[in-house]
Amino acid sequence: MRKIANAVRPGLARVVTVTKPQVKRLTQAAGPRLARIGQVVGTRSGDPARTPRPRTLRTWQYTAGAATAGLALAAGAVTVAGPWDANGQRTAERDRAAAEGRTGGADHGSATAVGEPAPAPSAGSVLTGLGTATNAVKSAPSGEPAGISGTAVTDLLGPLLDASALGGTRTAVVVDVATGRRLYDAGADTALTPASTTKIATAVSALSALGPDHRITTRVALEPGTREAVLIGGGDPTLTARAKADGWASLRTLAARTATSLTARGIRQVTLSYDTTLYSGPDLHPIGVNDNLARVSPLMADEGRTDGSFSGPVARVSDPAADAARKFAGFLTAAGIKTSSPGTSKASGRAETLATVTSPPLSAIVERMLTNSDNDIAEALARQTALAGGGPASFAGGADAIRARLSALGLPMTGASFHDGSGLDRDDRLTANLLTALLVKAADADRAGLRPVLTGLPVAGFTGTLSTRYTDGAAGVVRAKTGTLTGVNTLAGTVVDKDGRLLAFAFLAADTTSPLDAQEALDRTATALAGL
């Protein structure tokens, strides 16, 4: 069991130390699985009979919830997101699989190497209430309809959402995932700027259009009767030129395969071209040149980043496609194939494929997008969604495709307006009603292909854009997509309450004046849900 404990991030140790007196009560409520993990980490606890639950939520309750969440992460109650291994599987899942000797789970379509453990389940643990053995989501208790004064949720959230830090306009919805019943409603159908919570809609649309096993191909083709080799962009936003590919499609591997294929044909020198005609329309987002997003191209390596980063804002190359083509030419030369300086072209229908590389499954790409709030992936997936429906792969085409897919799923589209896939466009509009409906749809047992929308959400206090948040409350219990633009702060995701029920929530605030204060106010509100 030691590997299980090691799979949990170091923050767990801090949380357990602070919350020793309350862990036993929360652990027993979570079930035998958490109790076993509590023994592993050596947790000491007090007498639950002497620890009555106050009517007012306090810091120790939040912290105790964080400890339970950390234990739940280790046991699989929620999936610990972290670095992806060579198969696109989170390393924490792999380690837990080895420790428990379990088989099956979301392997994203990748074969397991001989002698290696099979990947651990991921989707089920997100939907299962703490300590339960089935994949059924526990329902919230019945009660008065949302909005009636005196209900627990209204009494709890009303004052928190009235915080001045949340600006002049704020909307919120809380839904019981098991039943779809709305527990709280404040401006549910008021459309506001969603910022990066737009990526939830993009993820649902792409998975619905293409399926979680879809892979994106980058290929090289040889024009017949010539020595022109064309590098054809397929729209893979995760293509990498790094020496260590970590399971993503490798430009170096593509060059090696191309060199082998050319050598077999007796060709040692080529005219190198690159084809970016898959996409249409402007490649520059309406926000202009920005460290949060490269020019959108079907051919790019490492998102055109100018440093070794994998996520977050950083200066980008001015022409991602040309940059990728130059790197590819260098790899070909190193493999013994001389090339011309690469130029633009369009591969003909008669061109013969020399080599290909494919991305990990879409499920893994969606998880990476949501965990890191990756704008480059979001815009690529919007275009892939458009292509799946026969539309133009452009900003407008992607936006139209997202709306069409969500409408086909029967989701509430009142007031919704899409202009991109990332949420960087301030003209985007979504409602709290739509955001929670998207999350509930992703939890639908009949829509298992949408599950990466839930498993990809950042885990509070542990991963992605929430890794440094919730350090003193609800760590591991809240999983949510963040959104921030000037004057806009949003948060949408899921939370496991103290009885192990799964709730979906969406909070949107406009006209905020302090991003940090607004962020903290939203975090307090989500944390409060964990104490219900």
Side-chain angles (χ1 to χ4, degrees):
M1 297 292 289
R2 183 172 299 171
K3 289 185 179 179
I4 299 176
N6 289 339
V8 184
R9 305 237 351 227
L12 173 60
R14 297 194 307 271
V15 175
V16 173
T17 300
V18 174
T19 61
K20 288 175 182 178
Q22 291 79 32
V23 171
K24 184 175 181 181
R25 177 176 63 85
L26 293 169
T27 300
Q28 289 178 339
R33 175 185 271 183
L34 294 185
R36 291 198 300 271
I37 301 303
Q39 293 170 4
V40 173
V41 297
T43 302
R44 295 194 302 269
S45 55
D47 184 350
R50 299 177 183 175
T51 316
R53 177 172 178 260
R55 301 183 64 88
T56 303
L57 293 173
R58 296 177 181 175
T59 301
W60 70 260
Q61 286 182 289
Y62 300 153
T63 317
T68 302
L71 297 172
L73 282 167
V78 292
T79 306
V80 179
W84 286 268
D85 65 15
N87 295 321
Q89 182 75 11
R90 289 186 177 124
T91 54
E93 292 181 356
R94 180 197 62 205
D95 292 342
R96 181 164 67 83
E100 294 186 349
R102 300 180 66 176
T103 60
D107 62 0
H108 307 309
S110 301
T112 301
V114 176
E116 290 292 322
S122 57
S125 62
V126 176
L127 301 181
T128 304
L130 299 181
T132 64
T134 68
N135 195 31
V137 182
K138 295 178 70 173
S139 177
S142 61
E144 297 176 271
I148 296 179
S149 177
T151 63
V153 181
T154 300
D155 287 347
L156 182 68
L157 297 189
L160 292 169
L161 289 170
D162 279 341
S164 60
L166 294 180
T169 306
R170 72 290 306 264
T171 65
V173 168
V174 178
V175 175
D176 171 10
V177 173
T179 65
R181 185 170 62 90
R182 189 178 295 175
L183 305 176
Y184 183 83
D185 173 352
D189 294 316
T190 300
L192 297 178
T193 302
S196 278
T197 56
T198 300
K199 293 182 177 72
I200 296 174
T202 301
V204 169
S205 301
L207 289 166
S208 174
L210 299 163
D213 298 326
H214 178 75
R215 297 171 186 261
I216 304 170
T217 299
T218 305
R219 69 186 182 102
V220 180
L222 183 66
E223 292 291 355
T226 73
R227 290 181 177 238
E228 181 186 8
V230 187
L231 173 61
I232 305 169
D236 180 3
T238 64
L239 183 69
T240 180
R242 294 187 173 101
K244 187 176 180 181
D246 288 328
W248 306 102
S250 170
L251 199 62
R252 294 169 185 261
T253 298
L254 183 61
R257 291 174 180 174
T258 300
T260 298
S261 187
L262 288 170
T263 300
R265 290 168 170 77
I267 300 176
R268 295 286 186 174
Q269 184 170 354
V270 296
T271 298
L272 182 61
S273 302
Y274 59 98
D275 183 346
T276 61
T277 59
L278 183 67
Y279 290 176
S280 59
D283 64 356
L284 184 63
H285 191 281
I287 61 172
V289 176
N290 191 287
D291 287 354
N292 287 292
L293 179 68
R295 287 181 177 269
V296 184
S297 170
L299 176 64
M300 62 168 60
D302 303 304
E303 301 179 336
R305 294 176 175 273
T306 55
D307 62 4
S309 64
F310 290 88
S311 63
V314 69
R316 312 304 179 91
V317 298
S318 60
D319 188 339
D323 174 69
R326 283 193 295 269
K327 290 175 178 175
F328 182 74
F331 299 147
L332 273 183
T333 299
I337 303 296
K338 293 182 180 180
T339 78
S340 64
S341 178
T344 59
S345 182
K346 176 176 172 57
S348 71
R350 298 178 298 113
E352 176 187 3
T353 297
L354 292 172
T356 64
V357 290
T358 57
S359 71
L362 184 61
S363 56
I365 297 175
V366 163
E367 286 185 335
R368 174 171 163 177
M369 173 187 72
L370 293 171
T371 299
N372 295 329
S373 195
D374 194 304
N375 297 303
D376 299 279
I377 293 178
E379 297 303 343
L381 293 189
R383 283 158 176 74
Q384 292 291 326
T385 303
L387 291 170
S394 61
F395 283 107
D400 289 343
I402 291 172
R403 182 177 183 86
R405 284 287 168 180
L406 300 188
S407 296
L409 289 172
L411 292 162
M413 302 301 292
T414 300
S417 179
F418 296 94
H419 297 272
D420 63 3
S422 63
L424 288 173
D425 196 312
R426 300 185 67 88
D427 289 334
D428 290 336
R429 293 289 185 273
L430 294 182
T431 65
N433 188 24
L434 175 55
L435 284 169
T436 51
L438 286 164
L439 295 165
V440 171
K441 184 69 70 174
D444 189 338
D446 294 329
R447 297 280 181 180
L450 300 181
R451 206 71 78 244
V453 175
L454 300 183
T455 58
L457 292 174
V459 181
F462 284 86
T463 64
T465 55
L466 290 185
S467 61
T468 59
R469 292 165 63 169
Y470 297 87
T471 54
D472 61 350
V477 175
V478 173
R479 304 176 68 114
K481 183 69 202 71
T482 57
T484 306
L485 293 172
T486 302
V488 173
N489 289 87
T490 60
L491 190 70
T494 64
V495 59
V496 180
D497 72 6
K498 71 179 184 64
D499 293 320
R501 292 174 295 241
L502 188 67
L503 308 178
F505 67 87
F507 307 140
L508 294 90
D511 303 320
T512 59
T513 56
S514 169
L516 182 59
D517 289 345
Q519 172 182 297
E520 291 177 347
L522 293 179
D523 289 351
R524 284 194 297 271
T525 307
T527 297
L529 283 175
L532 279 173

